[in-house]
Amino acid sequence: MINTGATHSIITEKTLRRTKYRKFITNRNLQLFMGDGYSPLEAIGVVDLDIKINSTLTTISAFVVKHLSADCLLGMDYINKYKLKLDMAEHTISIRTNQTTTTISINQQPEELRLPVRLINSVIIPPLQEVSVLVSAGISSASVLFKPSFNLKRQVPLLMCNSILAVERHTTSVPLYNPSHYAQYLSKGIILGTIRFPPDHNISLQVDNIPVSDNCELNILRLLAHIQDETQHSKVKSVLLQRRKPFDNSKSTIATTTLYHTIPTTGHHPFASKPFPLYGEKRQELKKLLDELQLYGHIRRSDSHYAAPAILVEKKDKKYRLVVDYRQLNSVTIKDPFPLPRMEDTLQELGQGYRYFSKLDLKSGFFQFTIDEKDRHKTAFTTSFGVFEFTVLPQGLKNSPPSFQRIMSRILEPCRPYCI
């Protein structure tokens, strides 16, 4: 594997044993670091490798390590020595030896790469609490799929979910939940799981295949964290686990209904604005949000003549929400007269002697309902990464609340005697 982020070439001891290089110069004082600059990588020796690429023979001194994400990494020392050039358009690689340049075709269907995710600092997770921990990854920047370590889950009673992580500068964060009544300790450098970096056209397939059992159990345990009685906790947990599907919020879903949101408007010309400028962290967050929304089918690229400006708004948890300024579109939208619930009526109904209450909360409720195909172009918004349009109901549209209420009222009509 050729890695421009590695300063030195590295090979694992296991890989070395499978070659003619049975021995290497042992040196226990070699200390390397991962790309994050924190996580140590112990080198146990050095070996001079002969690497034959097609008919071209090359040599390089490589560090020998116990564990690595790949069998062998050819770093910048190798790239500079042989003036190595990658042409991704032509899928070729050029190597210069003895004033001769050799061009070789690159395999366009490499095996899927799996990289370990290591804990950067030691951490203590308090009982019945969730902690987000900083981890190092073997890539500089990407959206990747995370899978928890099976061995770690067997050793330590912690819950981690399959999820999409955004890696920046070789680091990202992973949420850990401790469902036990005792604090749990994890030492620096421990492997929490692996990340996969498949081709873009495979991402949606991989996400759909992620098991949801861990996510369901994690959410159920969060809901039961306030129950101190172990017997009651166990009984309620057993009941909810038998009906775990509604507790899965690992991915957003789009409902199948016969009603769609429409955007009736009076006569007007399309509104178009320039994108708001975003820099640094906010620009990266915008790209991440756009990628996620496209991944789940909530937005798509658009050729619409409409273009409302989009901004990022920071939430209480310090994350960002994408907000589109639809004021111009709202000014020509015909009002939907469907009534919204009145707080006075709700309080009157709740006060009629009821003792027990349950509530249903939809994950990204608006995003579960689609917009009529003929009106989707009106929701187009502009960013520094291009123009997109919503396929599902966004916040900020004039008729979003009554349209959502109409759909929910229709769905819950059979439950009307005991539902508000």
Side-chain angles (χ1 to χ4, degrees):
M1 176 181 174
I2 297 172
N3 188 350
T4 57
T7 56
H8 296 83
S9 297
I10 307 172
I11 189 171
T12 63
E13 183 182 16
K14 182 179 178 180
T15 303
L16 198 63
R17 299 299 184 195
R18 298 200 301 263
T19 69
K20 65 179 182 179
Y21 301 94
R22 301 291 180 178
K23 296 182 180 180
F24 53 89
I25 301 174
T26 304
N27 189 333
R28 295 288 178 177
N29 296 322
L30 298 174
Q31 186 70 48
L32 306 177
F33 291 92
M34 300 288 284
D36 59 7
Y38 298 97
S39 305
L41 179 65
E42 182 182 358
I44 59 177
V46 179
V47 63
D48 290 329
L49 293 177
D50 291 337
I51 302 172
K52 194 172 184 179
I53 303 178
N54 283 4
S55 60
T56 303
L57 181 65
T58 61
T59 61
I60 197 69
S61 293
F63 289 106
V64 182
V65 298
K66 286 285 187 181
H67 306 288
L68 195 64
S69 58
D71 293 334
C72 179
L73 291 181
L74 299 180
M76 289 302 299
D77 54 346
Y78 183 88
I79 294 172
N80 292 330
K81 181 177 180 180
Y82 292 102
K83 305 295 187 291
L84 190 144
K85 294 182 180 179
L86 295 173
D87 188 336
M88 300 310 298
E90 299 294 332
H91 299 285
T92 59
I93 180 172
S94 299
I95 299 175
R96 187 172 179 81
T97 56
N98 299 325
Q99 306 302 316
T100 302
T101 301
T102 304
T103 301
I104 304 165
S105 296
I106 301 174
N107 179 14
Q108 297 182 33
Q109 293 183 333
E111 295 182 358
E112 185 178 73
L113 179 65
R114 292 175 180 268
L115 301 172
V117 173
R118 298 178 183 272
L119 191 63
I120 291 180
N121 298 306
S122 299
V123 64
I124 297 177
I125 300 95
L128 303 175
Q129 289 191 29
E130 179 179 324
V131 174
S132 186
V133 297
L134 199 62
V135 296
S136 66
I139 54 177
S140 59
S141 178
S143 292
V144 294
L145 303 177
F146 171 73
K147 182 179 182 180
S149 167
F150 177 74
N151 291 332
L152 180 63
K153 290 169 67 175
R154 294 180 61 183
Q155 298 170 10
V156 184
L158 294 174
L159 289 177
M160 293 179 286
C161 296
N162 296 277
S163 56
I164 301 175
L165 301 180
V167 179
E168 294 291 343
R169 298 181 181 179
H170 298 276
T171 62
T172 185
S173 58
V174 174
L176 301 175
Y177 180 72
N178 179 10
S180 70
H181 292 277
Y182 304 95
Q184 301 295 332
Y185 173 79
L186 293 178
S187 59
K188 175 181 178 180
I190 194 170
I191 296 178
L192 298 185
T194 58
I195 55 175
R196 292 183 285 174
F197 190 38
D200 290 343
H201 64 273
N202 286 337
I203 289 180
S204 60
L205 175 63
Q206 297 293 342
V207 172
D208 289 342
N209 290 338
I210 292 177
V212 301
S213 57
D214 289 345
N215 179 267
C216 296
E217 186 172 355
L218 175 60
N219 289 328
I220 289 172
L221 289 172
R222 286 172 178 163
L223 292 173
L224 304 181
H226 66 285
I227 302 179
Q228 300 298 322
D229 187 288
E230 292 189 5
T231 302
Q232 290 185 14
H233 188 282
S234 178
K235 288 182 178 180
V236 178
K237 177 183 174 182
S238 176
V239 172
L240 296 183
L241 285 176
Q242 293 175 28
R243 301 162 178 82
R244 66 177 65 205
K245 188 176 180 180
F247 298 95
D248 171 33
N249 64 358
S250 59
K251 58 183 181 181
S252 183
T253 57
I254 299 177
T256 303
T257 68
T258 57
L259 296 176
Y260 304 96
H261 179 74
T262 60
I263 309 176
T265 54
T266 59
H268 67 282
H269 294 289
F271 308 107
S273 302
K274 294 181 179 180
F276 282 124
L278 295 174
Y279 307 100
E281 179 188 355
K282 281 196 171 184
R283 181 179 172 85
Q284 295 174 2
E285 286 296 324
L286 175 61
K287 183 64 168 65
K288 176 185 172 183
L289 285 173
L290 292 174
D291 288 344
E292 289 181 358
L293 290 171
Q294 288 186 88
L295 183 65
Y296 291 123
H298 295 157
I299 64 173
R300 64 189 184 189
R301 290 200 172 269
S302 177
D303 296 322
S304 173
H305 294 295
Y306 291 80
I311 60 174
L312 289 183
V313 176
E314 189 173 8
K315 300 189 291 186
K316 291 182 179 179
D317 59 2
K318 301 302 180 181
K319 295 181 180 180
Y320 290 95
R321 175 186 289 114
L322 178 67
V323 177
V324 181
D325 185 356
Y326 283 125
R327 283 179 293 181
Q328 286 184 298
L329 177 61
N330 289 339
S331 67
V332 296
T333 300
I334 300 173
K335 181 177 175 60
D336 185 342
F338 193 88
L340 299 178
R342 296 176 66 250
M343 182 60 70
E344 294 81 1
D345 296 339
T346 301
L347 293 175
Q348 286 290 334
E349 194 161 350
L350 291 177
Q352 296 182 13
Y354 297 106
R355 295 179 57 192
Y356 300 101
F357 303 92
S358 299
K359 72 173 182 178
L360 298 177
D361 187 10
L362 301 181
K363 174 180 171 58
S364 304
F366 277 23
F367 284 177
Q368 294 198 33
F369 300 110
T370 55
I371 297 176
D372 195 324
E373 182 68 39
K374 65 180 176 61
D375 287 326
R376 292 180 181 180
H377 69 286
K378 297 178 183 178
T379 68
F381 59 93
T382 181
T383 72
S384 54
F385 299 101
V387 179
F388 302 84
E389 65 187 31
F390 278 96
T391 62
V392 294
L393 185 60
Q395 295 184 353
L397 289 180
K398 182 176 184 177
N399 290 331
S400 288
S403 186
F404 180 80
Q405 185 63 42
R406 175 186 287 105
I407 296 172
M408 292 303 300
S409 297
R410 181 76 61 85
I411 293 173
L412 297 174
E413 184 64 33
C415 309
R416 190 63 189 89
Y418 48 87
C419 173
I420 57 173

